[in-house]
Amino acid sequence: MEKMSRVTTALGGSALTGRTMHCHLDAPANAISVCRDAAQVVVAGRSIFKIYAIEEEQFVEKLNLRVGRKPSLNLSCADVVWHQMDENLLATAATNGVVVTWNLGRPSRNKQDQLFTEHKRTVNKVCFHPTEAHVLLSGSQDGFMKCFDLRRKDSVSTFSGQSESVRDVQFSIRDYFTFASTFENGNVQLWDIRRPDRCERMFTAHNGPVFCCDWHPEDRGWLATGGRDKMVKVWDMTTPRAKEMHCVQTIASVARVKWRPECRHHLATCSMMVDHNIYVWDVRRPFVPAAMFEEHRDVTTGIAWRHPHDPCFLLSGSKDSTLCQHLFRDASQPVERANPEGLCYGLFGDVAFAAKDSLVAAESGRKPYAGDRRHPIFFKRKLDPAEPFSGLASSALSVFETEPGGGSMSWFVDTAERYALAGRPLAELCDHNAKVARELGRNQVAQTWTMLRIIYCSPGLVSSASLNHSVGKGSSCGLPLINSFNLKDMTPGLGSETRLDRSKGDTRSDTVLLDSSATLITNEDNEETEGSDVPADYLLGDVEGEEDELYPLDPEHVHPEEPEYVLPQEAFPLRHEILDTPSGPEHLQDKADSPHVSGSEADAASLAPVDSFSLLSISHALYDSRLPSDFFSVLVCDMLRFYAEQGDVQMAVSVLIVLGERVRKDIDEQTQEHWYTSYIDLLQRFCLWNVSNEVVKLSTSRAVSCLNQASTTLHVNCSHCKRPMSSRGWVCDRWGSGG
Amino acid sequence: MNRGGSSPSAAANYLLCTNCRKVLRKDKRIRVSQPLTRGPSAFIPEKEVVQANTVDERTNFLVEEYSTSGRLDNITQVMSLHTQYLESFLRSQFYMLRMDGPLPLPYRHYIAIMAAARHQCSYLINMHVDEFLKTGGIAEWLNGLEYVPQRLKNLNEINKLLAHRPWLITKEHIQKLVKTGENNWSLPELVHAVVLLAHYHALASFVFGSGINPERDPEISNGFRLISVNNFCVCDLANDNNIENASLTGSNFGIVDSLSELEALMERMKRLQEEREDEEASQEEMTTRFEKEKKESLFVVSGDTFHSFPHSDFEDDMIVTSDVSRYIEDPGFGYEDFARRGEEHLPTFRAQDYTWENHGFSLVNRLYSDIGHLLDEKFRMVYNLTYNTMATHEDVDTTTLRRALFNYVHCMFGIRYDDYDYGEVNQLLERSLKVYIKTVTCYPERTTKRMYDSYWRQFKHSEKVHVNLLLMEARMQAELLYALRAITRHLT
């Protein structure tokens, strides 16, 4: 509001009005410039040179300056500028090296005024003196800048940059005699118009060509430069050495830069290639553009603020042959879309979390992290009261440390390394992975693998799956070994060892465990029934007839039948492999009377309670085992999502890879990609390069498999001379050939 | 297929020019003795190159650092006449072949082979066949294009166009490569491939233009090397050695002529440099001048009857073709003059609308990081390289001459600079030089020593190598500009 009123005064009581609009040009534009009355704009390009009136609702073509029998190269404009003192005076820079001035006051149709053919190469920029009516400056590809007095036929003085081509020249707005020029080689020079012999000052501003520069309209000595190195820099030229005050990193080379009127720290940029948007940056906030205009479909080639005292109207021309007026209120503001929270894991499992002050304050009332917040540390950024975003930018950073050893992720590393993801039949993969999980004491996961195997391997295999478990029981069954893995890892000795490991490794909150230990154990018993005992029965009995009874054993669904099966189970020693811990409240009630309680098992039961859900979904699946495995895919997908949501993206991805086509189609691409990238990221954090590469390779997601197409080189150095090797082997050619 | 086994006769090591062939046909008994062409180049006396090399430690250092073979190959030796440039060249080549990049190493060499095969450049093919195998390439691929993955095969079309008529490349070609499902190229890969193709097309120009000899000590034959064939007719080599000596010793009568030529050229350069163009040439005039050069370049080669190879003749007698053609399809596809088809649709590429500095660089660097800087440095280097000498004269500003060479090459590819007066080309480049330029950039495989010798007779060899460098880089840039413009259009 305050700004608006200022604008009104600046404009002498008549504020600009208009809306976001565009009009089609006949040809791509190379540059635009605004008349000082803020009501006309000139557009110039290789084959266009027109003046448009800016009306309330639309652009209206007012004058076509490309007249004459034949188009001349003099009309092929690289740049155009409208004099800010004289409404009738324009100048263009032609690609053939000619500087042309135009006088709109001429009565004839041809408004061409003067022609300066002094440059030998393309003229990249022309610039009128801000206050002098007759002074024009040009900068050319030939490395020279020339100053013209429009009352004379030739240039008044020539400035040699002693370097490659000049990309931009700009008169200082505040210092009458000064102008800045930017060069192809990254230099910026400061000249005094009275001293053509040598520049006052020179410094390297960018790496590669500096395409543009702009003097700050109010702050004396502030110069913004933009370069091919994708940076916008703001220099303070008042100090003896040019000082870089701000630096904005954009995403593409910067073609034009223009300070925003009435907003001290704002500037607008557009880029030379690839990126078509116009950005308005607050230079103090170099990472997120303050505003963004996305109207153009090809690169924007010219931008101009409509009025030197109005910050709301921006005009632009583009290669897509359109002229646009952008209103600031219609700009999209990336800040709004930015996620104001940040979260990051440290190397040892510490978590840092930053969020808006208000957000944190509100949440801390509810204590969402009460259980985990062991040593919260708060930092608060000291705010510059002058900063305009103090409301936005103020945030709190909390760091949550893990207790030493508490965040051990060795299970993750082991799992990642030992899982088999491809190259064998599905059944074997599942068995192998189940075994791995079991050995690491992750019984829930092991169970899941086993179930996947049951679901997805042909009906005939159901029996073999169960068989495995019975075999696992020990040789007492006397059945032939089907899976040697199972046999090995299910010997009682090993089992208890695993359990031991787990109790050492698992440092989850003990309170939970204690509270529900009894229940948990009961649940285990049930699990056991399902996983190992009954299958044994089933094997010994009639296969077809018993099939149904195998599945109802799921604790949740078949409680009434439970006693029947629980009884035989007691004949067997308890096994650790079925230690999953459904801990939903219903279980607490149902199985409190289970007979077996053992300390070690209680310990083992302390898996994350969340796991129970997946178990539930699988039990659904088991229930309907006669259905084609397709039927389960929905449930399996739910299970995967569940794992992923619980943070075990490893499981989600591994299952996804192992099952491949069977489930892939049921999970949308984006989710898959998300999982893959998270998992890969995690793997790389643990330096598991091989595994991560394997995962990349096995992934079917296009974006993911691209990851290892970016670079395929493995550098090997010669063991003698330490130079990069060109061929295979251990020493390079010059040693190998005896030379 | 001449690989392995049978040792070819000495005569078969050289292509025969039409003239000699006629003679041979008449008299079958004629024996052609193998000319003595030792040293890295068939055009340049060995001592010229070697002298330069022995003194230059810098070169040795560069070879140590960047050469892939660990030794000084013939190309490097000849280029080392311009050490400054050599560094940029080796660095960029090393980067695109060895360093981090989107394509696997064997692919890179195979692409180099495909590119060199377009110009039947057996020198480069052999070099990269070795490298291909060393980097773990599958030997079977070397049997020809039918044996390579479809993905590589798809590159054939763009290879063909890029080599001979880059102006025909459209965004549809890019789309076809990028969006074909199974065998698609990712954009970074494609850019890498395009850079390699352009590099090796241009390098083939240099190899033929400088008469690079086959490496003397070919490593153990792996069965895939092509018989090293010099594309220079024996008669050339025999004759021209004399001319060579003559012009160098200065005892020949021809020298007077050429000296005055040189002076005249320098005079013209000076005039162009100082003279402010008083009369303003109209756009029409400028356009006409450009079109004239463009069109004239048409007749430049065909006018040279002695060394022209009419199409049919050229094909049926090519010894190498059968061997080389397994890496390419459509071997008959060649440079077609730009201006030949319908006058009204001359596709002129306006240089100012898509320049290397503004556009090409940004795109290439975005998709294949850092190569942009290396190429940028190389282009800049070659464009600005000067010793301010011309033949025996010193303190000469050769800018106009270098610019004329560079722009003339671009002109043949239809790239026009608004700020260049193509009349200058006419004034600065004599006809024999134009013939040479046209041949080296458009049909390098037809370059002969006679062409090399016939222009600028009084100039030093190192200066002629300098010309070759300019031609090579101008050609590479032209190809890149067309390809990158197509990619940009595909992106927008």
Side-chain angles (χ1 to χ4, degrees):
Chain A
M1 283 305 102
E2 193 185 304
K3 248 164 217 160
M4 280 311 291
S5 58
R6 271 168 71 197
V7 170
T8 327
T9 47
L11 298 179
S14 60
L16 290 180
T17 51
R19 60 183 187 95
T20 295
M21 59 188 181
H22 68 89
C23 90
H24 188 77
L25 311 171
D26 312 323
N30 277 347
I32 64 168
S33 186
V34 189
C35 180
R36 70 166 179 170
D37 66 5
Q40 299 172 77
V41 58
V42 58
V43 182
R46 173 172 288 289
S47 47
I48 182 173
F49 189 24
K50 283 182 181 172
I51 292 177
Y52 285 86
I54 311 165
E55 298 189 349
E56 193 87 351
E57 293 291 314
Q58 60 187 343
F59 290 103
V60 176
E61 184 179 329
K62 228 184 125 193
L63 187 60
N64 187 356
L65 290 156
R66 266 178 90 82
V67 289
R69 304 164 271 118
K70 54 203 177 180
S72 158
L73 265 189
N74 298 340
L75 288 168
S76 167
C77 305
D79 192 29
V80 63
V81 62
W82 205 319
H83 204 298
Q84 289 307 302
M85 304 287 292
D86 183 347
E87 288 178 17
N88 281 329
L89 196 53
L90 288 109
T92 56
T95 48
N96 64 352
V98 178
V99 174
V100 192
T101 58
W102 307 81
N103 183 357
L104 301 181
R106 280 169 72 119
S108 67
R109 253 183 89 228
N110 191 349
K111 310 288 184 193
Q112 187 172 318
D113 196 16
Q114 260 177 298
L115 218 57
F116 300 100
T117 52
E118 296 189 30
H119 284 294
K120 286 182 186 161
R121 305 282 308 269
T122 299
V123 177
N124 288 319
K125 262 287 167 33
V126 280
C127 175
F128 278 115
H129 195 279
T131 51
E132 231 6 89
H134 302 284
V135 179
L136 175 68
L137 191 65
S138 66
S140 154
Q141 197 77 13
D142 60 16
F144 292 103
M145 296 140 274
K146 285 177 186 283
C147 183
F148 303 96
D149 185 322
L150 302 185
R151 291 161 295 196
R152 292 168 57 171
K153 278 185 104 58
D154 299 314
S155 62
V156 184
S157 43
T158 301
F159 310 84
S160 166
Q162 303 288 338
S163 130
E164 295 159 79
S165 53
V166 185
R167 302 308 300 243
D168 200 357
V169 283
Q170 291 294 336
F171 274 113
S172 166
I173 294 165
R174 298 260 144 186
D175 298 302
Y176 185 89
F177 294 112
T178 308
F179 73 88
S181 54
T182 69
F183 291 84
E184 184 104 351
N185 60 6
N187 285 345
V188 171
Q189 295 181 352
L190 228 55
W191 291 83
D192 186 315
I193 199 94
R194 298 160 296 185
R195 293 194 54 188
D197 53 325
R198 52 185 281 282
C199 65
E200 301 285 295
R201 186 191 288 182
M202 179 168 92
F203 61 95
T204 302
H206 290 265
N207 179 14
V210 190
F211 288 138
C212 52
C213 65
D214 195 35
W215 290 96
H216 197 281
E218 274 142 39
D219 282 288
R220 168 173 303 211
W222 279 26
L223 182 72
T225 58
R228 193 173 71 181
D229 59 0
K230 307 179 191 172
M231 308 235 229
V232 179
K233 292 181 180 175
V234 179
W235 305 87
D236 182 357
M237 310 288 261
T238 52
T239 50
R241 282 189 61 171
K243 197 176 92 203
E244 181 184 326
M245 298 195 301
H246 300 284
C247 178
V248 175
Q249 175 83 52
T250 69
I251 57 168
S253 50
V254 183
R256 311 263 169 174
V257 56
K258 285 272 181 277
W259 286 102
R260 185 173 176 205
E262 310 287 312
C263 294
R264 189 159 176 249
H265 291 102
H266 282 201
L267 47 78
T269 66
C270 64
S271 64
M272 188 72 92
M273 276 289 286
V274 192
D275 184 15
H276 310 158
N277 300 340
I278 303 166
Y279 302 98
V280 177
W281 301 87
D282 185 302
V283 292
R284 293 160 304 173
R285 195 181 205 194
F287 305 108
V288 190
M292 192 160 102
F293 301 101
E294 301 165 297
E295 278 82 3
H296 290 299
R297 300 273 74 87
D298 201 338
V299 284
T300 308
T301 47
I303 48 176
W305 294 96
R306 190 167 154 195
H307 190 276
H309 294 289
D310 184 329
C312 297
F313 290 83
L314 180 68
L315 298 164
S316 69
S318 157
K319 281 253 192 256
D320 67 4
S321 306
T322 56
L323 173 67
C324 273
Q325 172 169 271
H326 312 274
L327 247 64
F328 219 76
R329 63 162 191 264
D330 294 334
S332 70
Q333 303 197 336
V335 179
E336 298 295 307
R337 277 180 274 154
N339 188 353
E341 288 91 37
L343 178 75
C344 189
Y345 276 103
L347 186 59
F348 301 104
D350 300 346
V351 180
F353 175 69
K356 269 199 260 185
D357 258 350
S358 52
L359 204 64
V360 174
E363 283 195 357
S364 58
R366 288 186 286 125
K367 297 229 174 228
Y369 304 109
D372 296 337
R373 190 179 279 173
R374 293 178 184 109
H375 310 282
I377 308 164
F378 289 97
F379 296 100
K380 200 153 176 199
R381 214 176 116 211
K382 199 150 183 260
L383 292 171
D384 174 5
E387 243 185 284
F389 335 101
S390 46
L392 267 176
S394 142
S395 57
L397 174 69
S398 333
V399 177
F400 305 99
E401 288 177 332
T402 43
E403 275 166 6
S408 164
M409 289 282 280
S410 62
W411 62 270
F412 175 86
V413 178
D414 282 354
T415 312
E417 281 173 341
R418 292 171 55 193
Y419 265 2
L421 298 178
R424 287 191 252 167
L426 177 63
E428 273 181 46
L429 291 176
C430 290
D431 283 341
H432 175 86
N433 295 343
K435 183 200 141 210
V436 169
R438 204 172 297 122
E439 282 175 9
L440 292 168
R442 305 176 68 218
N443 295 294
Q444 160 87 46
V445 171
Q447 197 69 18
T448 308
W449 281 112
T450 312
M451 293 191 172
L452 285 174
R453 183 203 155 123
I454 295 170
I455 294 172
Y456 283 102
C457 296
S458 57
L461 282 173
V462 171
S463 63
S464 85
S466 337
L467 188 66
N468 278 331
H469 291 279
S470 43
V471 170
K473 284 279 130 200
S475 38
S476 63
C477 298
L479 285 169
L481 300 179
I482 294 200
N483 191 325
S484 56
F485 297 115
N486 278 358
L487 179 67
K488 241 198 303 180
D489 74 44
M490 291 213 182
T491 57
L494 259 177
S496 56
E497 220 178 275
T498 322
R499 211 173 302 156
L500 227 105
D501 284 350
R502 261 192 61 74
S503 48
K504 266 190 278 166
D506 188 14
T507 55
R508 284 193 180 263
S509 55
D510 299 298
T511 48
V512 176
L513 190 65
L514 288 175
D515 288 347
S516 57
S517 57
T519 338
L520 292 173
I521 292 150
T522 2
N523 289 337
E524 279 154 34
D525 291 345
N526 282 303
E527 301 288 345
E528 191 166 318
T529 314
E530 180 212 320
S532 53
D533 298 66
V534 175
D537 285 345
Y538 153 70
L539 271 171
L540 300 171
D542 171 21
V543 174
E544 295 301 310
E546 300 269 340
E547 206 177 354
D548 278 346
E549 287 155 21
L550 171 63
Y551 297 101
L553 287 175
D554 171 71
E556 196 198 7
H557 296 275
V558 212
H559 296 320
E561 290 170 6
E562 223 168 71
E564 234 182 286
Y565 295 94
V566 169
L567 280 176
Q569 137 205 1
E570 286 172 324
F572 295 90
L574 279 170
R575 287 295 155 214
H576 72 282
E577 73 263 32
I578 329 159
L579 292 175
D580 290 312
T581 60
S583 64
E586 72 273 26
H587 299 234
L588 290 178
Q589 300 308 317
D590 289 344
K591 290 140 208 164
D593 57 341
S594 173
H596 301 282
V597 178
S598 99
S600 64
E601 259 156 352
D603 197 354
S606 63
L607 263 180
V610 294
D611 288 350
S612 60
F613 285 111
S614 70
L615 193 67
L616 292 183
S617 40
I618 286 180
S619 24
H620 277 295
L622 291 173
Y623 213 58
D624 303 302
S625 75
R626 283 201 195 121
L627 293 160
S629 54
D630 266 2
F631 176 81
F632 299 105
S633 54
V634 178
L635 298 164
V636 172
C637 292
D638 284 347
M639 183 268 289
L640 292 186
R641 285 200 193 93
F642 167 78
Y643 270 115
E645 248 158 55
Q646 294 306 318
D648 190 0
V649 73
Q650 178 178 53
M651 184 64 185
V653 173
S654 303
V655 171
L656 194 60
I657 291 174
V658 167
L659 294 182
E661 290 301 339
R662 294 175 189 85
V663 288
R664 195 182 300 141
K665 56 186 185 303
D666 298 316
I667 301 174
D668 69 286
E669 279 277 317
Q670 223 175 351
T671 313
Q672 289 190 33
E673 193 184 316
H674 185 60
W675 291 353
Y676 274 120
T677 45
S678 319
Y679 186 40
I680 290 164
D681 185 47
L682 266 175
L683 288 171
Q684 293 181 343
R685 269 168 200 263
F686 285 98
C687 299
L688 297 163
W689 311 112
N690 289 342
V691 185
S692 99
N693 199 46
E694 193 192 354
V695 170
V696 172
K697 214 170 103 188
L698 291 171
S699 80
T700 47
S701 160
R702 175 91 189 103
V704 174
S705 45
C706 264
L707 287 176
N708 65 1
Q709 290 176 4
S711 158
T712 51
T713 318
L714 180 65
H715 298 285
V716 181
N717 287 353
C718 171
S719 58
H720 284 239
C721 55
K722 307 289 179 241
R723 272 179 234 289
M725 291 274 297
S726 56
S727 53
R728 283 177 288 185
W730 300 109
V731 290
C732 65
D733 298 344
R734 55 198 121 193
W735 303 93
S737 56
Chain B
M1 301 270 255
N2 267 335
R3 54 198 164 83
S6 67
S7 76
S9 72
N13 268 339
Y14 287 83
L15 276 186
L16 300 180
C17 71
T18 7
N19 217 35
C20 293
R21 230 180 277 147
K22 279 184 206 137
V23 177
L24 280 175
R25 274 191 204 120
K26 263 190 228 154
D27 186 356
K28 294 257 156 86
R29 293 166 305 144
I30 206 161
R31 272 195 59 90
V32 189
S33 62
Q34 189 170 10
L36 291 170
T37 49
R38 285 185 296 120
S41 162
F43 294 173
I44 308 168
E46 193 177 3
K47 61 177 193 301
E48 290 255 337
V49 182
V50 173
Q51 260 173 6
N53 280 337
T54 43
V55 248
D56 206 336
E57 288 209 0
R58 182 91 191 117
T59 308
N60 287 331
F61 167 75
L62 288 175
V63 170
E64 289 263 299
E65 200 70 5
Y66 297 114
S67 168
T68 47
S69 53
R71 66 199 165 108
L72 195 63
D73 55 35
N74 289 344
I75 293 183
T76 317
Q77 277 193 57
V78 173
M79 273 187 195
S80 65
L81 291 167
H82 303 276
T83 330
Q84 279 175 294
Y85 169 82
L86 181 67
E87 178 165 5
S88 309
F89 173 83
L90 287 178
R91 276 178 57 185
S92 65
Q93 181 174 268
F94 188 78
Y95 186 81
M96 62 183 96
L97 286 178
R98 295 265 177 257
M99 300 296 280
D100 228 5
L103 290 173
L105 294 183
Y107 264 59
R108 305 181 191 186
H109 293 292
Y110 201 85
I111 290 169
I113 293 171
M114 285 170 71
R118 284 284 1 153
H119 290 305
Q120 288 109 30
C121 185
S122 49
Y123 176 90
L124 290 174
I125 293 178
N126 283 339
M127 186 180 235
H128 287 282
V129 162
D130 290 344
E131 300 268 321
F132 173 78
L133 293 172
K134 263 193 225 163
T135 50
I138 301 162
E140 201 195 5
W141 293 9
L142 296 173
N143 290 327
L145 275 188
E146 307 91 84
Y147 298 85
V148 303
Q150 187 61 37
R151 211 154 90 88
L152 263 180
K153 222 167 144 186
N154 290 345
L155 211 57
N156 189 53
E157 177 75 7
I158 210 168
N159 179 23
K160 187 173 87 178
L161 292 177
L162 211 51
H164 307 294
R165 304 176 206 168
W167 54 90
L168 295 181
I169 294 181
T170 60
K171 72 173 181 192
E172 281 74 29
H173 291 110
I174 305 297
Q175 262 152 15
K176 241 173 27 198
L177 286 169
V178 176
K179 293 182 184 161
T180 45
E182 192 79 340
N183 296 309
N184 68 341
W185 288 77
S186 69
L187 276 176
E189 288 174 322
L190 183 62
V191 166
H192 193 174
V194 161
V195 168
L196 281 167
L197 288 173
H199 179 83
Y200 279 96
H201 293 150
L203 193 55
S205 283
F206 181 82
V207 167
F208 287 113
S210 314
I212 302 290
N213 273 332
E215 294 296 329
R216 242 178 305 176
D217 49 351
E219 284 150 42
I220 317 96
S221 177
N222 45 38
F224 287 102
R225 285 181 148 264
L226 304 174
I227 299 310
S228 298
V229 181
N230 245 332
N231 281 29
F232 322 116
C233 176
V234 234
C235 72
D236 269 343
L237 300 170
N239 294 345
D240 292 329
N241 276 343
N242 301 333
I243 294 173
E244 195 59 51
N245 296 337
S247 66
L248 284 175
T249 50
S251 63
N252 201 290
F253 62 92
I255 202 77
V256 186
D257 239 12
S258 54
L259 267 183
S260 58
E261 263 171 40
L262 170 68
E263 245 103 63
L265 173 61
M266 287 181 59
E267 189 54 42
R268 283 196 297 274
M269 282 169 61
K270 219 168 155 194
R271 225 177 34 235
L272 283 173
Q273 224 133 28
E274 287 165 359
E275 183 185 287
R276 275 262 32 90
E277 204 173 321
D278 297 325
E279 87 315 344
E280 187 220 331
S282 70
Q283 150 138 37
E284 276 157 347
E285 174 61 19
M286 297 297 264
T287 310
T288 325
R289 286 180 196 173
F290 173 73
E291 297 299 336
K292 185 165 150 258
E293 280 315 312
K294 219 162 74 173
K295 239 170 274 173
E296 223 183 63
S297 68
L298 270 182
F299 306 108
V300 153
V301 164
S302 39
D304 185 37
T305 48
F306 187 73
H307 284 282
S308 72
F309 295 83
H311 236 343
S312 58
D313 202 10
F314 188 57
E315 267 164 29
D316 66 23
D317 282 318
M318 282 298 289
I319 308 170
V320 250
T321 320
S322 58
D323 252 4
V324 167
S325 63
R326 54 198 155 131
Y327 298 120
I328 52 177
E329 275 168 7
D330 196 3
F333 189 91
Y335 175 85
E336 183 176 285
D337 284 293
F338 197 63
R340 193 164 274 167
R341 69 195 71 220
E343 292 276 323
E344 55 283 319
H345 294 301
L346 292 184
T348 298
F349 186 117
R350 309 303 286 257
Q352 270 86 354
D353 289 349
Y354 198 96
T355 63
W356 164 257
E357 288 81 13
N358 294 0
H359 307 95
F361 171 90
S362 300
L363 183 67
V364 95
N365 218 40
R366 164 175 293 248
L367 292 169
Y368 177 19
S369 55
D370 290 345
I371 192 71
H373 290 289
L374 292 165
L375 293 178
D376 200 36
E377 193 202 315
K378 188 163 66 123
F379 291 141
R380 209 170 281 220
M381 167 65 69
V382 84
Y383 199 88
N384 295 327
L385 185 68
T386 182
Y387 306 93
N388 294 316
T389 58
M390 266 178 79
T392 48
H393 297 257
E394 287 182 359
D395 275 334
V396 191
D397 183 352
T398 56
T399 317
T400 47
L401 196 55
R402 284 180 280 127
R403 195 167 164 218
L405 287 167
F406 200 87
N407 287 357
Y408 185 60
V409 173
H410 277 191
C411 166
M412 284 187 301
F413 287 102
I415 300 176
R416 179 180 169 193
Y417 291 83
D418 285 344
D419 56 357
Y420 189 66
D421 175 5
Y422 287 85
E424 285 188 19
V425 167
N426 231 10
Q427 296 186 52
L428 297 177
L429 309 183
E430 60 190 59
R431 189 177 164 74
S432 53
L433 177 53
K434 281 186 180 172
V435 169
Y436 178 76
I437 294 175
K438 172 92 182 187
T439 314
V440 166
T441 45
C442 300
Y443 334 88
E445 61 277 12
R446 302 188 202 173
T447 316
T448 63
K449 183 163 178 4
R450 194 185 302 277
M451 291 179 192
Y452 173 87
D453 287 324
S454 64
Y455 79 94
W456 284 7
R457 268 176 278 174
Q458 60 296 334
F459 279 62
K460 287 178 226 143
H461 283 294
S462 72
E463 287 170 319
K464 290 194 169 186
V465 171
H466 187 175
V467 170
N468 282 334
L469 296 179
L470 269 168
L471 303 185
M472 162 166 97
E473 294 302 340
R475 176 176 184 199
M476 180 173 182
Q477 199 183 78
E479 287 187 17
L480 277 180
L481 283 176
Y482 276 111
L484 294 174
R485 188 178 66 165
I487 294 176
T488 307
R489 286 181 176 167
H490 161 73
L491 285 173
T492 39

